[in-house]
Amino acid sequence: MSLVIVGSMAFDTIETPWERKEKIIGGSCTYCSLAASYFTRPGIVAVVGEDFPPDVIAFLKKRRVDLKGLQIVPGGKTFHWQGRYGTDPNQRETIRTDLNVFESFRPEIPASYRKADILFLANIDPDLQDSVLRQVKKPRLTAMDTIGLWIQSKPEALMRILRRVDIYFGNDEEIRMLTDERNLIKAGKMIQAMGPRLVIIKKGEHGALVLGPDFLFGLPALPTEKVTDPTGAGDSFAGGFLGYLDKTGGFSKRDIRRAAVYGSVMASFTIEGFGIDRYRTLKPAEVAARFQEFKTLVSF
Ligand code: AMP
């Protein structure tokens, strides 16, 4: 076991200006593990209720996601999140969050996960992220993501984790909120001073910036006419990025740049369908082809 992901598995209700989908499958851990599964065999730490569809669990197994760390609470209800997008897909509003089984979730790391090479603390309550971080032996890399909700409601818990991770993933809005700084490069450097060596700034349809200790790498998002549902783009970016790093075992500048491209590749597939739909048919050859498309896009 080398990449372990802790995060949410969810029912999402999604409203876009054109369509509304009730209780489709989502969650930071779901998206991230599916994206990572194209590069490695990720293990997950998550919780769902008895209402979570068995066919989705079977699908994750088919994608060779290790489910030893998944708790299914008898009689419990799965976490539910409702979000609304404006005509600008970068603008998202949370309408409702029902914690349900998360309220009493105590993550337990299976013995086989404790020596993980890479640990990803995907978006989830920072106290839960902390509890997982304490249970693993020293991973080669530790990464985290979070959202505005936790930056505002649990800043101390968040800072405790931030000090102990190597990689921080955040979108432009979260990074500005965390640092009170509008300039993203200055804000990224402020986050590096808090702990992480690598800060990844996701800018939705405007791509991503990777801020290293002594380098900056930027890449666009794949220009596309088809954005069906932006949900999960950030988690899939992290899944592609960390899955690729796990596969290569390296952490050179070249590895990091290529990992960022694979992150963008996976995000570009996620937004083509609602929820995890696109993963139902996505073939490894399509991932490889899109990597080449990115290469052509940015070569000059
Ligand atoms: P992303 O679009 O990559 O930022 O992630 C979207 C996913 O985050 C959705 O599928 C939600 O289920 C999940 N999510 C939203 N709010 C929370 C929360 N408070 N805790 C855990 N997961 C959440």
Side-chain angles (χ1 to χ4, degrees):
M1 175 57 48
S2 33
L3 169 62
V4 166
I5 302 161
V6 55
S8 57
M9 288 177 72
F11 286 127
D12 288 350
T13 298
I14 307 291
E15 296 173 36
T16 72
W18 305 276
E19 240 173 311
R20 178 190 162 96
K21 292 276 178 187
E22 199 82 34
K23 296 204 169 169
I24 58 174
I25 299 302
S28 55
C29 186
T30 319
Y31 283 112
C32 184
S33 59
L34 282 173
S37 73
Y38 286 78
F39 306 91
T40 187
R41 262 201 89 177
I44 64 167
V45 178
V47 64
V48 294
E50 215 176 324
D51 54 354
F52 198 77
D55 74 289
V56 178
I57 293 180
F59 177 57
L60 288 165
K61 272 190 196 150
K62 194 172 140 221
R63 289 257 9 115
R64 293 166 50 83
V65 174
D66 184 327
L67 301 179
K68 276 199 284 300
L70 174 65
Q71 294 179 28
I72 302 175
V73 180
K77 280 177 79 180
T78 300
F79 171 77
H80 171 237
W81 174 78
Q82 183 170 348
R84 181 186 295 146
Y85 293 91
T87 38
D88 174 354
N90 287 3
Q91 294 295 319
R92 169 165 88 190
E93 190 190 346
T94 291
I95 309 288
R96 184 178 171 151
T97 302
D98 303 307
L99 290 177
N100 298 337
V101 286
F102 262 138
E103 279 185 81
S104 50
F105 179 43
R106 298 280 164 273
E108 269 175 45
I109 308 294
S112 60
Y113 287 16
R114 284 177 206 251
K115 286 190 186 153
D117 281 331
I118 304 183
L119 173 66
F120 182 46
L121 307 165
N123 169 30
I124 194 176
D125 184 324
D127 288 328
L128 298 177
Q129 290 180 320
D130 193 29
S131 130
V132 172
L133 197 49
R134 283 166 198 278
Q135 292 179 54
V136 291
K137 303 240 164 67
K138 224 181 148 353
R140 181 168 72 83
L141 284 176
T142 309
M144 73 172 292
D145 190 358
T146 192
I147 49 169
L149 170 72
W150 309 120
I151 298 174
Q152 283 171 331
S153 63
K154 295 200 169 181
E156 286 93 19
L158 205 65
M159 290 308 289
R160 265 202 307 278
I161 300 160
L162 202 58
R163 278 198 286 274
R164 284 144 64 200
V165 300
D166 305 291
I167 308 174
Y168 171 82
F169 292 92
N171 68 27
D172 37 10
E173 193 188 328
E174 291 151 4
I175 283 175
R176 288 184 175 125
M177 193 187 280
L178 191 60
T179 57
D180 245 332
E181 168 59 59
R182 270 211 72 73
N183 181 289
L184 286 175
I185 304 299
K186 278 192 199 163
K189 286 185 177 167
M190 285 166 74
I191 295 177
Q192 282 180 317
M194 298 171 192
R197 306 181 250 172
L198 215 60
V199 173
I200 299 175
I201 308 174
K202 298 169 290 179
K203 300 189 295 167
E205 60 179 339
H206 304 301
L209 276 176
V210 180
L211 211 69
D214 57 356
F215 69 95
L216 184 63
F217 177 63
L219 80 165
L222 190 84
T224 173
E225 291 180 31
K226 191 180 179 205
V227 180
T228 304
D229 170 15
T231 312
D235 309 311
S236 322
F237 183 100
F241 187 98
L242 297 171
Y244 176 75
L245 284 184
D246 192 34
K247 180 178 164 186
T248 60
F251 197 53
S252 68
K253 281 183 210 172
R254 182 174 186 268
D255 295 327
I256 292 167
R257 282 199 293 266
R258 290 171 75 90
V261 177
Y262 277 116
S264 298
V265 164
M266 300 318 288
S268 77
F269 284 121
T270 297
I271 65 173
E272 287 179 0
F274 269 103
I276 60 168
D277 278 0
R278 186 61 181 89
Y279 287 94
R280 302 256 184 206
T281 54
L282 183 63
K283 305 262 179 314
E286 293 177 275
V287 173
R290 195 155 286 182
F291 183 83
Q292 290 308 322
E293 251 183 85
F294 263 93
K295 218 170 194 172
T296 311
L297 179 71
V298 297
S299 293
F300 56 87

